[in-house]
Amino acid sequence: MSKLKEEERSTFKEILIIILKLVFCVVLIYYSYHPPLLYRSIPILAKIAYSVMIFLSASLSISIIRYFIISIYISKNKLKNRVKDNFILGINQIVSVLNTVFIVIAFMYLLGINPIKFLTSITIVAAAIALLSKEYIANMINGLIIMFADKLSLGDHIKIGNEEGKIVDITLLNVILQNEDNDMVVIPNSVIFNSIIINQSKQNIKKLTVEFEVDVAKKFTAEFVERELESVLGDYKGFVLDEGFSVKTIFIKKDLVHFKVQLILKHYDKVREKQLRRLLYTKILQIVGQ
């Protein structure tokens, strides 16, 4: 019941903001055609009002379009208003960019600069700026692609390179992960877009992998190591898929044997995974020390 009320408050607040923008916009438009005496005595006030009117008109249109697009999307997909879906996240980012653009345009009008003439007069400078900021623009485009695609979503547990964690936010520039140590890892969208990503949440499973080396003189086999490590699973067997535990010999050097332990977990549980990893490390240290 409380969640429903919270959603209703959120929708009501959004509609109220649209109505307030509409009221202020109508008032400013009216005064632009019927200037009060105050405008004549304080010319800068008329400029400010005109600039605010330009921004509010654009922002009002954007807010209305956003509201209807998201309402239709939520209704179609039966989502809750508070859900931070990728599509909604992408729409919100586009809205933020458009609002920023119109703030700049309104500020230019306040300074008495015609935006169209200004842009046409600095074509070469604009091209140079675009060239210098191409990585920034590429990051933004990649960010929008990530948001509107269904490959990565908020809450997914992914692995990219040496980094692994849960996606807590996707912006126009970065994807932010929370790793097992609760550190926030910021990865540029260009890196995400051009890297191999393992999305374990889409598989509804989680792989736990541990690698270690043993002196070749000990003559341990993969079967022996597997039996030893399997003994520590105990209460965690229900957390591991059937036949989801294995030990492989990766390579053998002159003095060392490199083993790889892999467990396929039924679902992602950070606390239990951390406990299980600690038990495995303790047992591995015992094996190595034999």
Side-chain angles (χ1 to χ4, degrees):
M1 190 70 178
S2 60
K3 285 185 179 179
L4 183 62
K5 287 181 179 179
E6 188 177 351
E7 289 164 11
E8 288 174 352
R9 283 198 298 270
S10 176
T11 304
F12 175 77
K13 182 181 177 182
E14 193 171 355
I15 294 172
L16 181 61
I17 290 171
I18 290 174
I19 292 171
L20 288 173
K21 284 181 181 179
L22 178 61
V23 170
F24 280 113
C25 196
V26 168
V27 170
L28 290 172
I29 290 172
Y30 174 81
Y31 281 129
S32 69
Y33 286 100
H34 304 86
L37 293 174
L38 196 60
Y39 280 13
R40 295 173 186 174
S41 57
I42 311 176
I44 188 65
L45 190 60
K47 278 189 174 184
I48 293 172
Y50 183 70
S51 299
V52 172
M53 182 189 71
I54 290 172
F55 170 71
L56 276 181
S57 301
S59 181
L60 175 63
S61 302
I62 293 167
S63 296
I64 292 172
I65 293 170
R66 176 196 172 277
Y67 177 78
F68 280 109
I69 289 175
I70 291 180
S71 296
I72 292 168
Y73 179 76
I74 289 174
S75 176
K76 184 179 177 181
N77 294 277
K78 296 181 180 179
L79 300 175
K80 301 295 184 183
N81 289 354
R82 301 290 291 179
V83 172
K84 236 183 168 184
D85 183 84
N86 271 26
F87 179 82
I88 297 174
L89 193 65
I91 291 294
N92 288 340
Q93 293 288 354
I94 291 173
V95 167
S96 298
V97 171
L98 290 175
N99 279 329
T100 303
V101 169
F102 282 109
I103 285 175
V104 172
I105 291 173
F107 187 69
M108 290 174 74
Y109 273 112
L110 179 62
L111 298 176
I113 301 170
N114 187 313
I116 297 174
K117 289 182 179 179
F118 178 77
L119 287 174
T120 53
S121 64
I122 61 163
T123 306
I124 297 175
V125 177
I129 292 171
L131 187 63
L132 291 172
S133 59
K134 63 180 181 179
E135 290 187 9
Y136 180 84
I137 295 169
N139 257 346
M140 290 181 64
I141 294 171
N142 291 336
L144 288 173
I145 293 171
I146 291 168
M147 289 174 198
F148 287 111
D150 195 31
K151 305 300 181 185
L152 299 177
S153 304
L154 293 172
D156 282 358
H157 192 278
I158 68 169
K159 183 176 182 181
I160 174 168
N162 295 323
E163 301 298 339
E164 182 177 356
K166 182 176 73 172
I167 299 176
V168 294
D169 199 9
I170 303 173
T171 70
L172 286 174
L173 298 179
N174 310 296
V175 171
I176 302 173
L177 302 182
Q178 183 180 27
N179 64 18
E180 293 177 357
D181 298 322
N182 288 325
D183 296 325
M184 292 299 172
V185 183
V186 180
I187 304 175
N189 289 331
S190 56
V191 174
I192 293 283
F193 201 73
N194 294 295
S195 300
I196 296 174
I197 302 170
I198 300 172
N199 191 335
Q200 295 164 335
S201 296
K202 297 296 182 186
Q203 301 172 320
N204 292 320
I205 60 171
K206 172 73 170 70
K207 290 181 182 177
L208 192 161
T209 303
V210 177
E211 297 187 26
F212 64 98
E213 294 178 338
V214 179
D215 191 334
V216 72
K218 294 185 182 293
K219 298 181 180 180
F220 289 154
T221 63
E223 290 76 14
F224 169 78
V225 176
E226 185 172 350
R227 284 197 305 272
E228 289 292 310
L229 292 177
E230 196 171 12
S231 65
V232 306
L233 293 182
D235 296 335
Y236 292 92
K237 282 192 174 181
F239 185 47
V240 180
L241 286 177
D242 295 337
E243 300 182 0
F245 177 74
S246 63
V247 178
K248 298 177 183 177
T249 304
I250 304 302
F251 55 81
I252 301 175
K253 293 182 180 179
K254 181 181 177 181
D255 301 319
L256 298 168
V257 180
H258 191 100
F259 289 107
K260 178 180 180 180
V261 183
Q262 187 173 81
L263 292 89
I264 302 178
L265 310 179
K266 291 183 177 179
H267 59 273
Y268 178 68
D269 185 327
K270 186 169 72 173
V271 175
R272 297 190 74 186
E273 182 189 347
K274 196 171 183 179
Q275 293 170 347
L276 185 53
R277 189 184 291 274
R278 188 183 299 117
L279 286 174
L280 288 172
Y281 281 146
T282 302
K283 190 63 178 178
I284 287 168
L285 288 173
Q286 291 176 1
I287 293 172
V288 173
Q290 286 183 15

